[in-house]
């Protein structure tokens, strides 16, 4: 049976061909152009390009570690497991702050308490392209003397007070993975501002020939199979783990390859169009779910323009509370992260404090599901999703 993609990043044959040409060293290296573009668009002083967003976050934490040793970092208790993996790999001591279920932003009282326990850095992760209250967070961090790391891996197409996510923190992370809206098959970036931009050169390993070829092969597979008519094929292969959340060790930072950078250049304009389509799709879903007694959509803040990588809503019982969870999965409805980050066994050895309560994060682990907003979702499927999730007749 057909299974709808949870998220979608546009890929073209032209983008794959451009990537292949750059791997073959035809034309100038596209990475300096890409770095310069990111600096312009995100108002950064410097940009470092890596093989993934997780590698970029690990590099950011390791950079802070060079100044603040040992490094005590406070993470959101509910977020992507890769955030925890990056902190573990960087050798950081981990503390947590709670997450507000209404907005997916930091619970400010919990954040303030974590900062008072001695946190030297704070990682902020706007989930699913929902901007957080950056002004309030920055004020708390400045008062405590902590470094803010803005992990905008899910923030493509989103903005806070008219500026894109990724343009706020002194250190900011972007991701160009397959489901992040703008992709070259893989990739990430660390954006640096102010004093952080004058740090010594990076010690990351170069992207070798094998890595370049593997990324392009993945990009071609995503182009061929990343559409509703064929997505059931890779989704049925258990070891691919598509749509699943699992802990993966954060690899050593490696520079972004020429092929991925060249593909990113080609796909940029398409990614902007797809971002507009996601916002339109999210509006239709929200309109269809308005008035439902069973659905509690996440609330966007007044100064925020969400990117709607996916549409997060809260349901009693989560996905299992639906009348037909299997059908919902086939339509692209998906559970969010299955547990809080503090419950992940691989993170336990790095945790230095479990003070406080985590009601928000624990509620989200039980109730949050996300709906597909991308342009490949048909109107008929969207209506069925609204009926399934909203508890109405289709």
């Amino acid at each position: 049976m057909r299974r709808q993609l949870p998220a979608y990043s546009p890929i073209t044959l032209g983008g794959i061909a451009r990537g292949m040409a750059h791997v073959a060293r035809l034309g100038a290296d596209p990475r300096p152009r890409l770095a310069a573009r990111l600096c312009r668009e995100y108002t950064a002083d410097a940009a470092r390009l890596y093989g993934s967003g997780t590698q970029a976050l690990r590099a950011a934490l390791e950079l802070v570690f060079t100044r603040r040793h040992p490094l005590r970092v406070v993470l959101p208790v509910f977020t992507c497991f890769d955030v925890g993996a990056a902190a573990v790999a960087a050798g950081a001591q981990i503390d947590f702050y709670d997450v507000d279920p209404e907005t997916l932003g930091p619970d400010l009282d919990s954040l303030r308490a974590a900062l008072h326990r001695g946190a030297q850095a704070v990682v902020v992760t706007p989930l699913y392209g929902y901007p957080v209250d950056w002004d309030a967070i920055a004020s708390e961090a400045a008062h405590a003397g902590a470094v803010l790391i803005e992990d905008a891996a899910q923030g493509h197409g989103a903005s806070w007070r008219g500026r894109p996510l990724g343009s706020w923190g002194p250190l900011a992370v972007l991701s160009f993975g397959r489901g992040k809206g703008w992709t070259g098959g893989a990739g990430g970036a660390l954006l640096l501002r102010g004093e952080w931009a004058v740090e010594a050169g990076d010690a990351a390993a170069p992207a070798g020939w094998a890595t370049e070829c593997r990324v392009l092969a993945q990009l071609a597979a995503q182009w061929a199979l990343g559409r509703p008519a064929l997505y059931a094929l890779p989704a049925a292969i258990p070891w691919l783990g598509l749509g699943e959340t699992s802990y993966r060790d954060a690899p050593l930072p490696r520079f972004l390859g020429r092929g991925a950078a060249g593909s990113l250049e080609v796909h940029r304009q398409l990614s902007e169009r797809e971002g507009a389509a996601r916002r339109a799709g999210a509006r239709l879903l929200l309109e269809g779910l308005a008035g439902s007694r069973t659905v509690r959509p996440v609330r966007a803040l007044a100064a925020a323009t969400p990117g709607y990588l996916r549409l997060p809503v809260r349901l009693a019982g989560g996905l299992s509370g639906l009348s037909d969870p299997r059908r919902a999965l086939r339509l692209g409805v998906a559970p969010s992260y299955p547990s809080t980050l503090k419950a992940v066994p691989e993170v336990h050895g790095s945790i230095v404090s479990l003070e406080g309560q985590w009601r928000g994060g624990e509620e989200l682990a039980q109730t949050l599901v996300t709906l597909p907003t991308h342009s490949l979702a048909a109107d008929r499927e969207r209506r069925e999703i609204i009926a399934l999730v909203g508890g109405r007749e289709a």
Side-chain angles (χ1 to χ4, degrees), residues 48 56-73 86-94 120-123 147 149 171 190 196 199 350 352:
R48 297 179 183 173
L57 179 57
R58 176 176 174 175
L61 289 164
E62 289 176 343
L63 181 58
V64 178
F65 210 156
T66 63
R67 295 190 182 187
R68 306 190 178 195
H69 186 84
L71 174 62
R72 182 164 177 156
V73 61
V88 170
Q93 300 174 355
I94 298 174
Q120 299 160 310
V122 179
V123 176
V147 179
I149 301 175
L171 298 168
L190 172 58
W196 297 100
E199 289 292 326
S350 300
V352 293

Side-chain angles (χ1 to χ4, degrees), residues 52-144:
S52 70
T54 305
Q55 294 176 36
L57 179 57
R58 176 176 174 175
L61 289 164
E62 289 176 343
L63 181 58
V64 178
F65 210 156
T66 63
R67 295 190 182 187
R68 306 190 178 195
H69 186 84
L71 174 62
R72 182 164 177 156
V73 61
V74 58
L75 308 178
V77 76
F78 183 81
T79 191
C80 177
F81 290 180
D82 289 345
V83 174
V88 170
Q93 300 174 355
I94 298 174
D95 198 350
F96 297 105
Y97 61 84
D98 203 7
V99 177
D100 181 358
E102 295 285 337
T103 65
L104 300 185
D107 178 288
L108 291 179
D109 289 337
S110 178
L111 175 61
R112 192 177 300 116
L115 288 168
H116 288 168
R117 290 194 293 269
Q120 299 160 310
V122 179
V123 176
V124 180
T125 61
L127 295 177
Y128 305 112
Y130 270 64
V132 300
D133 187 346
W134 188 263
D135 304 345
I137 296 165
S139 176
E140 295 291 346
H143 182 73

Side-chain angles (χ1 to χ4, degrees), residues 340-384:
T340 59
L341 195 55
K342 71 180 180 65
V344 177
E346 293 87 347
V347 179
H348 286 173
S350 300
I351 297 174
V352 293
S353 175
L354 284 174
E355 294 183 39
Q357 297 178 328
W358 321 106
R359 294 193 182 97
E362 289 166 355
E363 178 192 331
L364 288 169
Q366 296 171 7
T367 65
L368 194 68
V369 301
T370 62
L371 316 181
T373 55
H374 56 73
S375 61
L376 300 184
D379 289 339
R380 172 182 53 81
E381 294 169 324
R382 192 176 292 114
R383 289 193 296 269
E384 189 173 356

